[in-house]
Amino acid sequence: MEQLAPHEKMFVDPAFAEDANHGSIGCHECHGGNPAEPDYLAAHNGVVRDPTFPDPGPVCGDCHPDIVEKSRASLHATLHPFTRMIDARSGSDSPEQHVIVDKTRQAHCGACHSSCGQCHVSRPTYVGGGLLNMHFFERNPPWREVCTACHGSRIEKEYLGENKGVPPDVHWRKRFFRCIKCHSGEEMHADASGAANRYQAPDAPKCIQCHASIYDDAAPSAEQHRMHKDKLSCQVCHAVSYKNCYDCHFALSRTGEKFFINKKSELDFKIGLNPLRSDARPERFAVLRHVPVDRNSFRYYADNALPHFDALPTWKYATPHNIQRRTPQNAACNGCHGNENLFLLESDVAPEDRIANKNVTVPLEMIPKRIEPGVSGRGAEQAKPSGGSQ
Amino acid sequence: MSMFLLRWSLGVVLTLTLIPLAWGAVAAEPGTLDNNCFACHSDPAKLIPAIREVMGCAEAIPASGASEGEG
């Protein structure tokens, strides 16, 4: 995404004043300041760039009360799971240390939020801001300037096929689906205060909502879908290699600027035990992605800031956005059955992280056995080694 | 009596007419006070020098490079 020049970020189309919904609201009614002041510096005293954050109520609430009420507790507004995860790892042994961790989380992780304005009027502040369309309100935020502006290095690259050797997601390649096709406004605005992670948030999309017919007799591969139902997440068969990040550390530069360094990131594909197994996600196996956290991520601010690091796995339930109809692992039974390379084994995990990941690594005896020719009669031919897909 | 009623009616009509006009002059309707905002924010010829002044840039304003989210 190209950045905007500073004046492009704040250029307002005069026609916005004629906008039927928002044009009649005076600039200062939302942004503050004093438009009667002839000196522009004085006129900007008290101006708020994004009046919808942290509380959208005063400016959006009168006309959009239901959305405002819910979205105050949405994932994009609160980043609630971040807090839960970091709190679980930092613990409450030392209140003083917890204060440091919490401040660090707010300063670094907390900057990565969004708001009504930062989706519908401007690009998110985290990526430099700038009006999307000369201050016109965009009912459907433009995905390249809003969604993938933040969700870029993993989701965008996967979806558009920008990882070397990995094709674009079939939903993009064949249908040009934009984010909003699956991730509705209801999901974005939903109150997720009760969700431990983003997969528990209300109105989160599920593949089956569109692909309800996969178990029907007439459906392609209906037998395979029935056979593996509730055993594998969809991505186990239909995703390909995706980015895994390790060892993220954050700190302040000599001039006080916040920054982070991710020491390692690599493409990989690993099937592990489903860490979110529940009635809603009953599958035994799921695709796992290594998240950037490291037990020393907070070291710049405090030693041993995450004393309970092993409380959570570092390999997390994942839904890579590079779905393919045909993948190396589903090209034939033995593309997956007996293929140890696909599974997250204890030996794949760094020794110091094995306790944290003990509930998601796959014991060798749980890997489905290779199907020998003639045993099942269901095509036990060798898996095609190609990484391509259709 | 009729003269009094005529004057009274005229006063009411004038009052009802003038109040909205007076309110329109002070409220931030487009075309009034907001013109001060639009005068700069809708005119690059004014906006760019103001930004240069605030940012302390003597020459052209550089656009920073492409960004990449972490998500």
Side-chain angles (χ1 to χ4, degrees), chain A residues 53 75-79 82 105-115 118 124-127 149-151 258, chain B residues 69-71:
Chain A
F53 187 84
L75 289 178
H76 282 86
T78 66
L79 306 173
F82 276 26
R105 178 187 59 75
Q106 286 176 25
H108 286 270
C109 317
C112 188
H113 61 75
S114 198
S115 67
Q118 291 177 49
T125 301
Y126 184 73
V127 292
C150 289
H151 299 277
K258 292 177 288 188
Chain B
E70 284 81 49

Side-chain angles (χ1 to χ4, degrees), chain A residues 271-274 284-285 340 343-348 357-369:
Chain A
I271 301 167
L273 299 180
N274 180 1
R284 174 182 296 171
F285 293 104
E340 290 180 13
F343 291 85
L344 182 70
L345 307 177
E346 188 182 75
S347 56
D348 294 319
N357 291 289
K358 67 181 187 304
N359 292 328
V360 298
T361 49
V362 181
L364 282 172
E365 61 272 18
M366 282 185 70
I367 295 175
K369 296 287 180 288

Side-chain angles (χ1 to χ4, degrees), chain A residues 100-354:
Chain A
I100 295 172
V101 168
D102 206 43
K103 279 185 178 171
T104 307
R105 178 187 59 75
Q106 286 176 25
H108 286 270
C109 317
C112 188
H113 61 75
S114 198
S115 67
C116 305
Q118 291 177 49
C119 283
H120 295 285
V121 183
S122 77
R123 299 177 180 190
T125 301
Y126 184 73
V127 292
L131 294 170
L132 294 169
N133 184 15
M134 298 174 285
H135 212 301
F136 283 103
F137 284 62
E138 300 294 312
R139 182 181 175 85
N140 296 329
W143 65 290
R144 302 301 297 273
E145 282 79 30
V146 174
C147 311
T148 59
C150 289
H151 299 277
S153 68
R154 287 179 284 193
I155 303 303
E156 181 184 37
K157 282 186 166 56
E158 288 167 9
Y159 194 63
L160 300 181
E162 292 174 353
N163 290 322
K164 191 176 180 184
V166 183
D169 191 295
V170 69
H171 299 94
W172 173 248
R173 189 159 37 88
K174 292 199 169 179
R175 298 294 182 94
F176 296 107
F177 280 1
R178 299 173 183 191
C179 309
I180 201 169
K181 184 76 177 175
C182 297
H183 298 283
S184 65
E186 285 73 24
E187 181 196 359
M188 295 299 105
H189 299 147
D191 179 342
S193 52
N197 55 67
R198 69 176 181 275
Y199 296 106
Q200 290 182 0
D203 299 308
K206 299 198 82 171
C207 308
I208 198 72
Q209 290 166 341
C210 287
H211 298 280
S213 63
I214 57 171
Y215 306 115
D216 294 350
D217 287 339
S221 306
E223 185 184 1
Q224 278 71 29
H225 284 129
R226 288 190 207 124
M227 197 183 302
H228 295 98
K229 184 173 187 290
D230 295 345
K231 294 176 183 169
L232 313 175
S233 70
C234 305
Q235 290 77 14
V236 167
C237 291
H238 292 286
V240 286
S241 294
Y242 46 88
K243 187 178 279 189
N244 297 270
C245 298
Y246 302 80
D247 294 350
C248 184
H249 290 67
F250 26 87
L252 296 177
S253 70
R254 267 177 267 173
T255 53
E257 297 291 320
K258 292 177 288 188
F259 73 95
F260 69 88
I261 296 175
N262 198 44
K263 289 184 179 170
K264 176 185 166 191
S265 92
E266 61 185 15
L267 294 177
D268 204 349
F269 180 89
K270 287 295 176 189
I271 301 167
L273 299 180
N274 180 1
L276 305 181
R277 206 168 181 192
S278 64
D279 289 344
R281 296 183 184 273
E283 306 86 15
R284 174 182 296 171
F285 293 104
V287 168
L288 304 182
R289 190 198 298 266
H290 196 278
V291 291
V293 71
D294 179 78
R295 65 182 69 240
N296 292 315
S297 285
F298 288 71
R299 188 165 54 190
Y300 176 84
Y301 294 94
D303 287 328
N304 195 28
L306 305 176
H308 301 280
F309 187 78
D310 293 339
L312 295 171
T314 58
W315 287 85
K316 295 294 191 73
Y317 189 98
T319 48
H321 282 54
N322 54 21
I323 296 302
Q324 315 294 327
R325 186 164 174 266
R326 301 277 286 177
T327 61
Q329 67 270 25
N330 75 14
C333 298
N334 291 332
C336 183
H337 284 248
N339 188 353
E340 290 180 13
N341 290 333
L342 293 182
F343 291 85
L344 182 70
L345 307 177
E346 188 182 75
S347 56
D348 294 319
V349 179
E352 64 273 20
D353 291 344
R354 286 179 185 168

Side-chain angles (χ1 to χ4, degrees), chain B residues 7 9 14 19 22 41 44 46 48-51 54 59 61 66-67:
Chain B
R7 284 178 181 168
S9 306
L14 279 173
I19 283 176
H41 281 271
K46 291 181 181 170
I48 292 173
I51 294 171
V54 171
E59 298 298 329
I61 297 167
S67 71

